[in-house]
Amino acid sequence: MNLHQIIQPADWKQPKGYANAILANGRILFLGGQIGWLPDQKFAAHDFLGQLEQVLHNIKRLVEDAGGIVEHITRMTWFVTEKSFYTEHQKEIGVIYRDILGYHFPAMTLVVVAALVEDEALIEIEVTAVLPD
């Protein structure tokens, strides 16, 4: 069952790995910013890629616990403390992302911030998912 439709104007260049707009129907799940810690709220990884991997696992778990699947994710906002963490590791990020979330690319935004509330956090991701009624 397809709950959402990617909106891509015919005269716009195809985006790189994210959709410009998504139209969706269903129950809306909002995930507050997820960081790369374990269920006990301790960090196993102290590097960007390790924390990204844990963040994506946490997101997947929360969506599944709500009765959804990763394909129900319609929007992600990534907050990173260093732009270079993202720009210098795009290939590795892509591999980690696809290993956990597959070839599903919701509307995404990347924001560089001065700091996150948890001092050890290098990345935080907010998610919106639309699940079946």
Side-chain angles (χ1 to χ4, degrees), residues 4-130:
H4 66 272
Q5 171 189 359
I6 295 174
I7 305 299
Q8 178 66 34
D11 60 336
W12 286 17
K13 184 177 178 181
Q14 187 66 31
K16 298 178 182 178
Y18 58 89
N20 286 311
I22 294 180
L23 182 63
N25 291 309
R27 295 179 302 131
I28 301 173
L29 172 66
F30 298 97
L31 300 184
Q34 299 299 304
I35 58 175
W37 59 17
L38 300 168
D40 64 0
Q41 298 184 354
K42 293 189 173 142
F43 288 91
H46 301 282
D47 65 294
F48 180 80
L49 294 174
Q51 287 190 18
L52 171 63
E53 183 174 0
Q54 186 61 50
V55 169
L56 295 178
H57 279 298
N58 293 348
I59 289 168
K60 182 178 180 183
R61 170 79 186 273
L62 287 165
V63 169
E64 290 174 348
D65 281 6
I69 57 175
V70 296
E71 288 80 6
H72 294 148
I73 296 171
T74 55
R75 179 163 179 70
M76 299 176 85
T77 304
W78 298 40
F79 301 92
V80 298
T81 58
E82 292 287 336
K83 181 179 175 181
S84 64
F85 292 160
Y86 184 85
T87 58
E88 294 173 9
H89 299 285
Q90 288 184 342
K91 184 176 182 176
E92 298 96 326
I93 291 167
V95 170
I96 291 167
Y97 182 96
R98 289 185 302 276
D99 283 349
I100 299 165
L101 300 183
Y103 285 82
H104 172 67
F105 303 101
M108 290 191 247
T109 301
L110 176 76
V111 180
V112 180
V113 296
L116 296 167
V117 172
E118 294 297 327
D119 291 333
E120 291 183 67
L122 302 174
I123 182 168
E124 183 170 325
I125 301 178
E126 246 179 28
V127 169
T128 303
V130 180

